[in-house]
Amino acid sequence: MSFIDHLEELRWHLIRSVASILVFATAAFLSKEFIFHDLILGPSRADFFTYRKLCELGAYLGRPELCIDKISFTLQSREMSSQFTTHMTVSAIIGLVLAFPYTFWEIWRFIKPGLYPREQKNSRGAVFFVSLLFFLGTLFGYYIAAPLSINFLASYQVDASILNEFDLASYISTLTTMTFSCALMFELPMIVFFLAKAGILSPEIMKLYRRHAIVVILIVAAVISPPDVMSMMLIAIPLLLLYEVSITIAKVVRKNDIKRLNEELNG
């Protein structure tokens, strides 16, 4: 194919990707009550799933301080068009999240023909695992990282005379930032897989810098979580587990590469 033909094919992949996002975004726009009342504003109410489970966990462990039974802030919309533009923006974000597997598949279809047969074989299942990790990270961010951060920021006061009344856009920005940050961090195993396949990363390097990685993970967990040990551990432990899983993945990649090289030499 010529360069122009490649551009034409890329254009159609992008058109189909954008179309899928628009379909899901339209569905989200028409489901305003569920999207906002149940999904977006859920972490702003004390009856949210995560808060109820924390109360149950606190009662079981004898740690009542874990229970979150009150969210002390009020949301406001200070601009005439704010709620409409927020509705549009949130619908687009929901569309992007739901269409992610198809969008990634379209991009992968464009990239895959340019790979060698062995590279295509090695990357089999990439769309499934990238999408799975993305959704797991999104769920973790929505149900763990974002609610803990929102609760801390909403209850923090420098003086009792100051009321916490936040703009709707600020609340949604915090929620989406936390959720997407976790979704991206959960892609670590796939990133390690491709880097190991490319010979850039090895399990030995990851083991050597494990202590450094732990420090970085704890810093990240401290930044995106409320400043208490329990909340930080709830975020840090899954990330540490992902790092250990990534080391195992790098080992498997190394083992398979050595096996393949031996077969080629003996064949």
Side-chain angles (χ1 to χ4, degrees):
M1 295 176 65
S2 67
F3 178 72
I4 299 300
D5 291 333
H6 277 295
L7 288 180
E8 178 66 15
E9 184 167 346
L10 175 61
R11 184 172 74 92
W12 281 107
H13 283 297
L14 294 176
I15 288 174
R16 286 191 291 267
S17 299
V18 172
S20 68
I21 295 172
L22 289 176
V23 168
F24 283 108
T26 302
F29 187 84
L30 298 175
S31 307
K32 180 175 66 173
E33 183 174 354
F34 168 75
I35 293 298
F36 278 89
H37 184 270
D38 297 331
L39 192 64
I40 300 299
L41 298 179
S44 69
R45 296 191 299 272
D47 63 350
F48 186 60
F49 175 83
T50 302
Y51 303 145
R52 288 189 282 109
K53 292 303 176 183
L54 282 175
C55 287
E56 293 175 8
L57 179 62
Y60 178 78
L61 298 176
R63 298 283 300 274
E65 64 272 15
L66 287 178
C67 184
I68 300 173
D69 54 6
K70 184 180 179 182
I71 309 295
S72 304
F73 72 95
T74 302
L75 288 176
Q76 296 183 351
S77 179
R78 294 188 173 89
E79 296 181 9
M80 185 69 71
S81 61
S82 176
Q83 294 200 47
F84 176 74
T85 55
T86 298
H87 189 186
M88 296 285 289
T89 302
V90 169
S91 297
I93 292 173
I94 297 295
L96 179 62
V97 171
L98 296 179
F100 178 81
Y102 180 79
T103 301
F104 185 78
W105 179 66
E106 283 287 352
I107 296 172
W108 184 248
R109 284 177 62 200
F110 177 75
I111 296 174
K112 190 176 179 180
L115 302 178
Y116 292 108
R118 181 171 61 83
E119 293 173 333
Q120 293 184 13
K121 181 180 178 181
N122 291 336
S123 58
R124 192 174 298 164
V127 175
F128 172 78
F129 288 108
V130 168
S131 300
L132 177 63
L133 291 171
F134 177 82
F135 283 123
L136 288 176
T138 300
L139 291 174
F140 178 79
Y142 178 74
Y143 283 105
I144 303 297
L148 293 177
S149 297
I150 289 171
N151 174 68
F152 168 72
L153 295 173
S155 60
Y156 189 84
Q157 287 182 300
V158 294
D159 188 84
S161 63
I162 302 175
L163 298 177
N164 281 332
E165 297 179 348
F166 306 120
D167 188 74
L168 178 62
S170 176
Y171 167 82
I172 292 177
S173 175
T174 300
L175 177 64
T176 54
T177 299
M178 298 300 301
T179 302
F180 275 112
S181 296
C182 291
L184 294 176
M185 285 189 292
F186 267 61
E187 296 293 343
L188 177 64
M190 288 305 296
I191 294 173
V192 170
F193 173 80
F194 285 113
L195 291 178
K197 278 293 183 183
I200 299 174
L201 195 61
S202 68
E204 291 77 17
I205 292 177
M206 295 188 70
K207 287 181 180 179
L208 179 64
Y209 290 98
R210 179 187 273 126
R211 287 179 294 178
H212 302 79
I214 291 173
V215 172
V216 172
I217 288 172
L218 290 175
I219 291 174
V220 170
V223 169
I224 69 176
S225 68
D228 64 87
V229 177
M230 182 64 71
S231 299
M232 188 176 74
M233 288 298 104
L234 286 173
I235 294 175
I237 289 174
L239 297 180
L240 291 171
L241 290 175
L242 282 174
Y243 189 83
E244 294 301 322
V245 169
S246 299
I247 293 177
T248 303
I249 290 173
K251 287 180 180 178
V252 172
V253 170
R254 168 68 64 79
K255 182 179 178 180
N256 290 339
D257 285 346
I258 292 174
K259 181 180 178 180
R260 177 180 55 80
L261 289 172
N262 288 333
E263 290 176 351
E264 290 177 357
L265 290 173
N266 295 330

